[in-house]
Amino acid sequence: MEEGPYKFVRDGTGKVSRVIRIGTRKSQLARIQTDSVAAKLQELYPDVRLEIGETFRLGFCQTTLSTCNKSLFTKELENALERNEVDLVVHSLKDLPTSLPAGFTIGAVLRRENPHDAVVLHPKNAGKTLASLPKNSVVGTSSLRRAAQLKRRFPHLEFKDIRGNLNTRLKKLDDKEDFAAIILAAAGLKRMGWEDRISAVLQPEDCMYAVGQGALAVEVRAKDTDILDMVSVLHDPDTVLRCIAERAFLKRLEGGCSVPVAVHTYIKDSQLYLTGAVYSLDGSESLKETMQTKEVDERLQRVGVTATKIPADLQDGAERLGVDLADLLLTKGAKEILTVARQLNDAR
Ligand code: DPM
């Protein structure tokens, strides 16, 4: 009973239950996301005892997002996984690199929330839209992807970095006059209970979303088949296939968390459609194409995801789609655009 890295507890009646330890970061969003996954697991496995450890204080990406290293961002939690201090960790999928360090895998990708970005206005601009904001209004975002696309679409606006966790950003918007509006993921706002602050959800014509945006991922030890099996029921097949295609696209482009790369995916009549684009930092150059699956080894990781219960050919089709689209953009010069964007950004 006591073998392996696992912990068990015995209650007053002598009943023994397995303890599953979940690691989370200290931010409110991380906690909400972790609690929502824990609640789903508890419902599916009423006999398991879940413990949530909030011992990590990394918070939201603290550095400039553009210089942030996604692996650093998630490293503390992976260390805890490696040391068997926790059994699983919940992340926003978009914060996880397309290749995970050896020994880790994404064991579940949950049903995606609204993946689009949203506009949050300063209260004094109530009723306005990005299009109707006065010339030179300042919009806050540290996302190169958002800034590039929106500069292109709304050349009358200015874009400035805004940092900190969601609470900090909203406070910076409301309490000062620095920003006319900020752009945030609709999913994060919804999870925080701040949907009422969304003045508009940006459609793909204005701003396509980040790879994996709006989906939660459960990271586990790759060898821990017990936990892998347990969390695999949380996989949402459509979300997994869309996100495999998106991540394969980003990986092939050698894009990290800080490149102006955007996607849009959907599934219709069993076909997976992927639109992907790369932008120069100022949005003046862009490449955008759409492809679909032609048709849509079970234990294989695909761009870091393990999903044994989702047919392998569907996953392969999704991965192939991402790679093919990236190759198409690469033949048109995506590499040059991204290299320049990276160099300019590093020099900032
Ligand atoms: C990544 C980006 C941002 C986060 C870059 C991007 C946004 C940074 C910014 C990779 N991670 O989207 O182009 O706004 O300056 C992040 C958020 C969520 C996960 C917050 C947000 C919540 C939504 C989700 C930060 N990571 O994007 O507004 O679960 O997808």
Side-chain angles (χ1 to χ4, degrees):
M1 181 70 80
E2 300 298 331
E3 71 197 26
Y6 308 123
K7 247 179 85 186
F8 296 86
V9 286
R10 195 183 295 273
D11 68 11
T13 67
K15 196 177 118 195
V16 174
S17 356
R18 169 88 182 264
V19 179
I20 304 289
R21 294 145 310 167
I22 309 181
T24 184
R25 288 177 292 113
K26 192 92 190 150
S27 85
Q28 193 186 348
L29 181 64
R31 189 63 211 232
I32 288 170
Q33 295 184 163
T34 303
D35 288 350
S36 77
V37 172
K40 290 199 173 76
L41 282 173
Q42 193 69 83
E43 208 183 307
L44 289 160
Y45 305 101
D47 290 338
V48 159
R49 184 134 120 225
L50 296 173
E51 287 177 2
I52 301 181
E54 198 186 73
T55 48
F56 315 97
R57 293 175 162 274
L58 278 184
F60 213 77
C61 222
Q62 291 298 337
T63 52
T64 332
L65 214 120
S66 25
T67 59
C68 113
N69 174 338
K70 272 207 271 188
S71 353
L72 256 186
F73 185 41
T74 52
K75 197 163 183 276
E76 278 299 308
L77 288 165
E78 279 169 352
N79 286 344
L81 265 178
E82 190 160 32
R83 292 192 299 255
N84 287 316
E85 291 166 8
V86 299
D87 301 307
L88 56 99
V89 176
V90 177
H91 303 277
S92 287
L93 180 61
K94 85 161 166 172
D95 293 325
L96 285 178
T98 51
S99 304
L100 300 189
F104 304 103
T105 191
I106 297 165
V109 179
L110 285 86
R111 194 186 158 79
R112 194 175 220 175
E113 279 281 349
N114 182 343
H116 299 281
D117 291 315
V119 180
V120 179
L121 292 169
H122 189 286
K124 73 170 187 227
N125 292 319
K128 292 227 161 37
T129 62
L130 288 183
S132 72
L133 278 175
K135 190 164 159 41
N136 299 329
S137 293
V138 176
V139 176
T141 178
S142 315
S143 157
L144 304 180
R145 171 187 64 80
R146 290 173 183 149
Q149 293 183 84
L150 295 173
K151 276 175 192 166
R152 196 178 167 80
R153 195 75 175 167
F154 304 102
H156 69 295
L157 300 176
E158 272 184 50
F159 292 84
K160 292 227 165 88
D161 278 347
I162 182 167
R163 315 246 170 86
N165 63 37
L166 290 184
N167 311 61
T168 312
R169 289 185 195 209
L170 230 20
K171 212 166 147 39
K172 280 185 182 165
L173 172 69
D174 290 348
D175 295 356
K176 299 191 193 166
E177 299 285 319
D178 296 359
F179 300 102
I182 59 176
I183 313 293
L184 292 169
L189 288 163
K190 173 152 190 233
R191 291 183 197 127
M192 296 288 277
W194 296 336
E195 260 180 312
D196 58 331
R197 291 301 307 265
I198 298 179
S199 69
V201 171
L202 294 172
Q203 294 308 304
E205 307 78 67
D206 290 335
C207 188
M208 298 204 299
Y209 42 85
V211 165
Q213 185 162 312
L216 296 183
V218 181
E219 188 181 16
V220 300
R221 289 177 291 270
K223 277 195 284 196
D224 199 343
T225 44
D226 273 19
I227 299 278
L228 253 178
D229 283 350
M230 171 179 251
V231 300
S232 70
V233 294
L234 296 173
H235 266 311
D236 176 64
D238 280 10
T239 306
V240 174
L241 295 174
R242 289 170 62 187
C243 290
I244 284 179
E246 294 172 15
R247 285 167 62 80
F249 172 67
L250 183 64
K251 184 173 184 178
R252 184 64 154 213
L253 290 173
E254 293 168 31
C257 89
S258 58
V259 286
V261 168
V263 293
H264 177 67
T265 47
Y266 60 93
I267 291 174
K268 202 178 144 213
D269 301 329
S270 306
Q271 294 292 305
L272 173 59
Y273 293 79
L274 166 66
T275 300
V278 308
Y279 303 90
S280 59
L281 289 186
D282 65 0
S284 63
E285 281 181 274
S286 76
L287 292 169
K288 177 161 144 188
E289 293 290 347
T290 301
M291 280 186 169
Q292 70 184 85
T293 41
K294 290 167 191 92
E295 289 150 46
V296 190
D297 165 22
E298 305 286 291
R299 282 264 150 209
L300 209 64
Q301 279 193 33
R302 290 175 186 77
V303 277
V305 180
T306 304
T308 47
K309 293 193 179 70
I310 296 174
D313 57 332
L314 293 186
Q315 295 186 62
D316 285 341
E319 186 177 21
R320 190 72 244 163
L321 178 65
V323 171
D324 286 349
L325 184 69
D327 283 344
L328 175 61
L329 291 191
L330 287 169
T331 62
K332 298 192 171 198
K335 182 116 227 162
E336 291 66 32
I337 292 182
L338 291 180
T339 302
V340 172
R342 240 180 243 119
Q343 284 166 350
L344 286 176
N345 187 49
D346 289 346
R348 287 205 303 181

